[in-house]
């Protein structure tokens, strides 16, 4: 340890000097007599010199920012040099930290995203320029205030409470230039502080809304002429004088018109689900009754798996929209039937446990290869497009299921083994379950 070694060297040097001075005083006393007087005089001068050096050191320590270190030699000079070294090292590190901080501030100010640093109780510690202007935060005034008191969006407050269980939350700020902001909470286990990254997603939201409106409008516009064409085709098929040569092409045209109608209806339903920002209505939906009806509908179909099982393990209802829940379950049940051969089986199950309410539709059909599973809920995604089209699939069924489930705070889980069958399970949180 150099500091300890320097000190002990300095102390040794001081002791050596004191011993030398005393020895000289002793010799002078012995030669000239008056030993006591000479000793006192020499020690007094020695002490005065020490006090003087101490005062010079003290003055320099107080004025070290502006004054050069005092020019003292001997042990006091060593002390001054050591203190000066420590001071200069500290100044160097301080300048480095200040430089880094300035650079960090310049970078965060230039960042296209906003950033807010929060303390353990969500109090604001720091924020950059974008965060200030988008969230309406005021420098200095808002430091130390809890962010929930300034960004009062209920979705954001819930997101903070859940400690970012979702990846991000999007909030609307009509007052601040009508912006849509995406807030993303970053936490680390090493620190109690959190960072909220704020992104302006107004453009994305607008483009998305234009796309949605376009799809909805185009579907509406196509629906009317298609109804007319399908009506004429229906009439033509019934026409007894129709040339036998034309019967098959017209039947095929009618089938395709029906398919188009199915796609347009699904597109319109999907647009409706996506466009509606409000929560679905709060009806008490009898899940058991709804599933029993779906099973009966399926049993009345000509082409269907032979065995259709219904296992109702609860009489509980679900809180939500009857039509949307019907859409979820009917899409899953009709898929199970579509992708399962006649000799296969379908099982529909409803049960409630501590985790919430669950509806599972299991089939022993063709199954799905594992690489397709994450993409099934994308619009128009089909494992085998040719097969899906042939059996009348629009490719939109599972996208509708996903959206309607999201609106009911639910999730979809898919398990499948190719060639063995699949299980599609809808999980609803306990708050949605109404015990009867
Ligand atoms: P589609 O109208 O084509 O059935 P969906 O969105 O309902 O569209 O389903 C997407 C794709 O997922 C289907 O094309 C099919 O490949 C696959 N799929 C859905 N349900 C099942 C199932 N029960 N068994 C096997 N494959 C399925």
């Amino acid at each position: 340890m150099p500091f300890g070694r320097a000190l002990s060297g300095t102390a040794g040097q001081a002791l050596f000097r004191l011993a030398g001075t005393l020895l000289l005083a002793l010799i002078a006393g012995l030669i000239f007599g008056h030993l006591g007087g000479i000793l006192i005089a020499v020690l007094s001068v020695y002490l005065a010199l020490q006090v003087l050096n101490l005062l010079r050191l003290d003055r320099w320590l107080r004025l070290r920012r502006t004054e050069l270190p005092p020019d003292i030699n001997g042990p006091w000079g060593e002390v001054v040099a050591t203190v000066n070294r420590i001071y200069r090292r500290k100044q160097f590190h301080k300048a480095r930290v200040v430089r880094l901080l300035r650079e960090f501030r310049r970078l965060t100010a230039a960042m296209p995203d906003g950033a807010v640093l929060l303390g353990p109780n969500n109090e604001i510690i720091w924020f950059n320029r974008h965060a200030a202007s988008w969230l309406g935060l005021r420098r200095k005034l808002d430091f130390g205030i809890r962010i929930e008191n300034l960004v009062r969006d209920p979705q954001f407050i819930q997101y903070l409470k859940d400690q970012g269980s979702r990846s991000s939350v999007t909030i609307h700020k009509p007052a601040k230039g009508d912006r849509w902001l995406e807030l993303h909470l970053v936490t680390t286990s090493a620190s109690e502080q959190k960072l909220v990254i704020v992104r302006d997603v107004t453009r994305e939201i607008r483009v998305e809304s234009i796309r949605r409106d376009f799809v909805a409008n185009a579907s509406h516009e196509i629906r009317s002429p298609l109804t007319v064409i399908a009506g004429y085709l229906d009439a033509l098929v019934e026409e007894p004088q129709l040339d036998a040569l034309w019967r098959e092409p017209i039947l095929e045209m009618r089938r395709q018109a029906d398919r188009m109608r199915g796609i347009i209806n699904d597109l319109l339903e999907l647009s409706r689900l996506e466009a509606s920002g409000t929560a679905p209505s709060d009806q008490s939906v009898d899940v058991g009754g709804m599933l029993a009806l779906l099973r009966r509908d399926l049993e009345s179909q000509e082409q269907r798996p032979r065995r259709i099982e219904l296992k109702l393990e609860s009489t509980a209802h679900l809180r939500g929209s009857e039509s949307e829940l019907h859409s979820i379950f009917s899409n899953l049940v009709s898929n199970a039937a579509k992708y399962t051969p006649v000799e296969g089986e379908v099982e529909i199950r409803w049960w409630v446990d501590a985790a919430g309410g669950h509806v599972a539709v299991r089939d022993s059909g063709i199954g799905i290869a594992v690489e397709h599973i994450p993409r099934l809920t994308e619009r128009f995604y089909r494992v085998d497009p040719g097969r899906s089209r042939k059996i009348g699939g629009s490719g939109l069924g599972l996208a509708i299921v996903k959206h309607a489930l999201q609106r009911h705070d639910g999730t979809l889980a898919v398990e499948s083994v190719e060639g063995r069958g699949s299980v599609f399970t809808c999980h609803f949180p306990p708050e949605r379950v109404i015990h009867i």
Side-chain angles (χ1 to χ4, degrees), residues 335 338-339 363 368 376 381-383 388 393-395 397-398 422:
N335 272 354
K338 269 192 307 192
Y339 299 104
D363 64 63
I368 305 156
L376 289 182
Y381 188 83
R382 296 151 165 134
V383 174
S388 160
S394 69
L398 290 180
S422 321

Side-chain angles (χ1 to χ4, degrees), residues 27-68:
I27 295 169
L30 287 176
I31 294 173
F32 301 111
H34 306 295
L35 180 64
I38 287 181
L39 261 180
I40 289 174
V42 167
L43 278 179
S44 300
V45 171
Y46 187 84
L47 200 64
L49 273 176
Q50 303 308 312
V51 171
L52 184 69
N53 283 339
L54 185 67
L55 287 176
R56 288 174 77 190
L57 177 66
D58 175 59
R59 182 189 147 80
W60 172 67
L61 281 178
R62 275 186 284 112
L63 304 172
R64 65 186 186 283
R65 270 169 206 280
T66 49
E67 280 201 4
L68 287 172

Side-chain angles (χ1 to χ4, degrees), residues 329-351:
F329 305 142
S330 72
N331 266 305
L332 293 182
V333 170
S334 85
N335 272 354
K338 269 192 307 192
Y339 299 104
T340 304
V342 179
E343 57 279 8
E345 71 166 301
V346 171
E347 180 197 279
I348 307 164
R349 186 175 161 224
W350 161 234
W351 78 102

Side-chain angles (χ1 to χ4, degrees), residues 2 20 56 70 81 112 153 170 177 207 223 235 239 269 276 378 387 391 429:
R56 288 174 77 190
D153 188 281
T170 306
V207 169
R223 189 149 74 164
E239 177 58 52
E269 179 159 7
S276 157
E378 287 173 21
R387 180 183 197 137
I391 51 182

Side-chain angles (χ1 to χ4, degrees), residues 141-166:
L141 276 179
D142 290 340
F143 287 149
I145 297 182
R146 292 173 66 135
I147 194 164
E148 300 96 314
N149 296 336
L150 299 168
V151 182
R152 290 169 170 271
D153 188 281
Q155 280 202 61
F156 174 61
I157 294 174
Q158 190 59 42
Y159 175 65
L160 268 185
K161 256 195 219 145
D162 302 344
Q163 288 289 312
S165 56
R166 280 188 284 164

